[in-house]
Amino acid sequence: MPLPTLDEVQAWLEAAPFHQWLGLRVTELTPTDVTIQAEAKHSWLSDTDRGSVHGGILGALLDTAADFSLIGTIGAPVPTIDLQVNYLRPAGVGLLTAKGHLVKPGSQIATAWSEVLDANGKQLAIGRGTFLASAAGAAS
């Protein structure tokens, strides 16, 4: 299976109104890895005094990056079965980079990890998820 282009993967992202609202941009794709960027906005803050982005946004970035790391191997984003998130430090307004890595594709269940980094490359959150790989055939 040929690797989809960044434009094709971007179209998958933009098919979801939530991803459009987040303003996600795919910047890199390999058979096992994806990099997605977003500009954290003031409206994403859960604590304006501290200037910290809501954890749900970071969780969404982790989930999306882990899921989209499957595209290069299984051919499509698929439903998330489970996602474990660890928050390491607060995220502020500015560029956020989410990186996903496929750990095991599997025919039924796939496993991937992800991380969110700030503009300086500091790790803000990490995640590990399982995904319904068998649904890829239904999506293509």
Side-chain angles (χ1 to χ4, degrees), residues 16-137:
F18 182 64
H19 294 159
Q20 290 175 27
W21 179 79
L22 289 172
L24 301 181
R25 297 176 314 279
V26 180
T27 60
E28 294 179 47
L29 179 70
T30 73
T32 58
D33 295 276
V34 69
T35 301
I36 299 171
Q37 293 186 323
E39 200 64 40
K41 304 163 190 58
H42 182 74
S43 62
W44 294 5
L45 299 180
S46 62
D47 184 335
T48 53
D49 292 336
R50 290 186 176 168
S52 54
V53 170
H54 190 283
I57 297 287
L58 296 178
L61 293 173
L62 291 167
D63 183 28
T64 303
D67 186 12
F68 274 69
S69 74
L70 308 175
I71 288 176
T73 301
I74 69 170
V78 294
T80 304
I81 296 171
D82 183 56
L83 181 69
Q84 178 183 345
V85 174
N86 296 104
Y87 299 102
L88 308 175
R89 59 180 49 89
V93 171
L95 182 66
L96 297 177
T97 300
K99 296 184 176 203
H101 175 73
L102 175 62
V103 174
K104 182 179 182 303
S107 61
Q108 297 295 313
I109 306 295
T111 303
W113 68 257
S114 54
E115 63 181 344
V116 176
L117 310 169
D118 68 10
N120 297 317
K122 283 193 175 180
Q123 200 174 53
L124 306 174
I126 55 174
R128 185 177 187 95
T130 54
F131 301 86
L132 187 58
S134 59

